[in-house]
Amino acid sequence: MTGLDSWYSFMKSHDHEALWDLLHPDAVFESPVVHSSQRGRDITFKYLASAEKVLGGPGFSYVGEWTSADGAVLEFKTMIDGIEINGVDIIGFDAEGRITHFKVMVRPLKAINMLHRLMAEQLAAQS
């Protein structure tokens, strides 16, 4: 199973233990609303687990995929509170298939503002 296969499996199962195992200890997460990169497995796990809860509902789907030898760009769409959200996950993997880098980009601005609020609530709930 490749790292990308493991990511898709996590998105279907919502198994947070599998997510933890998928992350490299030095993973880096880049958010569309936080200026600085978040470094390390702990914080990357917290952001990705929160994002999965906020975005990963029944309306979430990946609608495009572009891959390279060590990464993928996955285009997604979903609808939350009547706002259509479109974005991409840019994921880098190491030789063992673990996520080393995860960047999220989202549009439109209305969606970014809503996600900023929802993610802040979800992250606070995890603390």
Side-chain angles (χ1 to χ4, degrees):
M1 179 179 282
T2 68
L4 184 55
D5 291 333
S6 296
W7 174 254
Y8 281 134
S9 178
F10 161 69
M11 289 300 290
K12 287 181 184 170
S13 71
H14 311 287
D15 178 358
H16 286 185
E17 196 171 308
L19 173 60
W20 179 263
D21 293 341
L22 183 56
L23 296 173
H24 187 279
D26 297 323
V28 175
F29 179 79
E30 292 185 76
S31 163
V33 296
V34 177
H35 175 69
S36 59
S37 299
Q38 306 301 301
R39 299 184 178 280
R41 179 186 277 160
D42 291 334
I43 192 71
T44 299
F45 175 83
K46 191 172 182 178
Y47 271 89
L48 289 175
S50 294
E52 181 266 326
K53 286 184 179 177
V54 169
L55 290 167
F60 181 91
S61 65
Y62 282 115
V63 296
E65 175 185 297
W66 299 266
T67 60
S68 68
D70 60 353
V73 176
L74 307 176
E75 182 181 6
F76 64 86
K77 68 176 183 174
T78 192
M79 180 86 69
I80 300 176
D81 295 338
I83 298 173
E84 186 172 315
I85 300 168
N86 178 241
V88 293
D89 294 332
I90 304 169
I91 310 170
F93 299 98
D94 68 6
E96 287 80 44
R98 295 177 299 178
I99 293 173
T100 56
H101 189 256
F102 201 107
K103 181 188 294 187
V104 181
M105 302 177 83
V106 174
R107 62 166 299 281
L109 180 59
K110 183 188 305 189
I112 292 171
N113 291 334
M114 180 185 57
L115 286 176
H116 182 238
R117 177 181 53 81
L118 294 174
M119 284 293 294
E121 291 169 5
Q122 187 62 45
L123 288 165
Q126 285 191 32
S127 296

